[in-house]
Amino acid sequence: MDNYDYGTDPDYGAAAPNKSIKGYQIIIIVLAVILAALSFLYYNQMSTLKQEYAIERDTLTNRLTNLMYQYRDLESENDTINKYLDLERERADSLLESLTKERNFSRAKIRQYEQELGTLRTVMQGYVKQIDSLNTVNERLIAENVNYRHQVTTQRLRADMAEEMADELSTKIRRGAVIRVRDIAIVALSSNDREVTRANRAARLRVEFTLSGNELSEPGNRAIYVRITGPDGYVMANSSGSMFEFEGEYRTYSAMREVDYQNQDLPVSVYYNGTGITSGRYAVEIYIDGYLSGSSEIILR
């Protein structure tokens, strides 16, 4: 067996370092490949996350935008609720602006926005219930008010009808209480109060009639106005001051007398002492208590 001296071989010292360098190079290459693979995986993962975050952002933006539209559609006649609704609308606007400007998106940020969005939705649902409740109350109050007005109107109509009926009854009673006159006649009298058959011999006229009994009339003194219209169409009067009121206007009367009426038939005679007595057709009207109680036409020859 040959004894070889490695210490004296010049190629032995150079081979060992070369092998070490090659080993390091292989390790570096392997590490570089691993790093490249990890970088590729990291890049793919980050791209996937960015896509997912973009989808999450769009979803949150759409949900928040729809929620803002729902807030804008909420209306109430209650000033306090309207005030708080304005505050919630401002919160929603601020959240949407923050979401739009967000650059460092992450799972934690997504959960934060989802929580705030959920809070806004819960608050809105509470206001929806309050508004619906107030609307229900208002509708009930409106219905009660309409019913009350209907009742008031009905009662008022009944009161008006009762008043009309009372007025009508009162009018009927007043009309029923009118003292009627019957058996009207004119008698021509001479200067010594004898009846004459010719008007040209008469010095005055006596108007005779009967007041009919009426239990509805109030008993007591009555002023009786007799109005005689002569053949010439003029009212005969003792003086120019002989006036009485009838239906809001003053009329001339021919003769007047007061009697005591006690709800029983009462014969009455009234005298006209003026001039202008001629033959012809005479119209006689008798007024008592502001009513035309009787009238007749009589011919004197």
Side-chain angles (χ1 to χ4, degrees):
M1 182 176 183
D2 293 334
N3 291 326
Y4 182 78
D5 188 2
Y6 289 98
T8 60
D9 188 355
D11 293 331
Y12 177 78
N18 289 335
K19 290 180 180 180
S20 298
I21 290 172
K22 288 180 179 180
Y24 287 130
Q25 289 177 345
I26 292 171
I27 292 172
I28 290 171
I29 292 172
V30 170
L31 291 175
V33 171
I34 293 172
L35 180 61
L38 291 175
S39 298
F40 178 76
L41 292 175
Y42 177 77
Y43 176 80
N44 285 341
Q45 185 177 6
M46 292 303 298
S47 298
T48 303
L49 285 176
K50 287 182 179 179
Q51 292 177 359
E52 291 177 356
Y53 290 159
I55 294 173
E56 292 287 349
R57 183 198 297 270
D58 292 341
T59 302
L60 287 172
T61 301
N62 291 333
R63 290 171 59 190
L64 184 56
T65 303
N66 291 333
L67 184 64
M68 291 172 64
Y69 283 131
Q70 294 176 21
Y71 262 112
R72 292 190 183 115
D73 290 338
L74 283 180
E75 294 182 357
S76 174
E77 296 180 358
N78 187 286
D79 293 336
T80 302
I81 292 180
N82 287 334
K83 178 180 177 181
Y84 286 111
L85 281 175
D86 290 338
L87 293 176
E88 295 302 322
R89 292 186 185 107
E90 291 177 1
R91 283 184 58 190
D93 289 337
S94 177
L95 184 62
L96 180 60
E97 183 179 359
S98 175
L99 179 61
T100 304
K101 294 180 178 179
E102 184 66 54
R103 292 294 178 264
N104 299 321
F105 228 60
S106 63
R107 291 293 180 186
K109 287 288 185 180
I110 292 174
R111 286 195 296 270
Q112 179 183 347
Y113 282 114
E114 286 179 343
Q115 289 176 356
E116 294 186 19
L117 181 61
T119 301
L120 285 172
R121 185 175 299 279
T122 301
V123 172
M124 185 194 69
Q125 290 173 351
Y127 284 125
V128 169
K129 290 181 180 179
Q130 291 187 42
I131 293 172
D132 289 343
S133 178
L134 288 175
N135 289 339
T136 301
V137 172
N138 287 337
E139 289 176 0
R140 187 178 73 250
L141 290 176
I142 291 172
E144 291 177 354
N145 189 29
V146 170
N147 185 42
Y148 174 74
R149 288 184 178 180
H150 177 70
Q151 291 179 359
V152 170
T153 302
T154 302
Q155 295 296 331
R156 187 175 299 162
L157 289 174
R158 290 178 179 175
D160 291 342
M161 291 177 62
E163 185 176 355
E164 290 178 0
M165 291 177 64
D167 290 342
E168 184 178 355
L169 181 60
S170 178
T171 301
K172 289 181 178 180
I173 291 175
R174 286 196 303 271
R175 291 176 178 175
V178 173
I179 302 173
R180 299 298 176 183
V181 174
R182 69 176 190 272
D183 304 332
I184 301 173
I186 294 179
V187 179
L189 300 174
S190 64
S191 56
N192 56 4
D193 283 344
R194 291 184 178 180
E195 296 183 8
V196 293
T197 58
R198 295 291 178 179
N200 57 4
R201 298 178 184 177
R204 62 177 185 166
L205 298 175
R206 183 175 70 213
V207 181
E208 300 175 346
F209 51 88
T210 299
L211 304 184
S212 299
N214 190 341
E215 293 294 334
L216 297 177
S217 300
E218 184 178 353
N221 291 334
R222 291 291 194 282
I224 302 174
Y225 296 93
V226 177
R227 182 179 167 94
I228 305 172
T229 302
D232 57 1
Y234 290 97
V235 177
M236 304 168 68
N238 290 321
S239 66
S240 59
S242 300
M243 306 289 290
F244 73 103
E245 186 177 357
F246 176 72
E247 294 183 350
E249 63 179 23
Y250 287 93
R251 293 188 173 187
T252 302
Y253 65 84
S254 304
M256 178 267 188
R257 179 182 174 182
E258 289 190 359
V259 297
D260 182 17
Y261 178 74
Q262 295 300 323
N263 307 101
Q264 297 178 353
D265 287 358
L266 179 64
V268 179
S269 296
V270 181
Y271 294 87
Y272 167 71
N273 298 315
T275 59
I277 302 174
T278 60
S279 59
R281 184 182 297 274
Y282 287 79
V284 180
E285 297 174 342
I286 300 173
Y287 296 85
I288 304 174
D289 294 336
Y291 292 95
L292 176 60
S293 296
S295 62
S296 182
E297 288 188 354
I298 300 168
I299 297 177
L300 292 180
R301 300 189 181 278

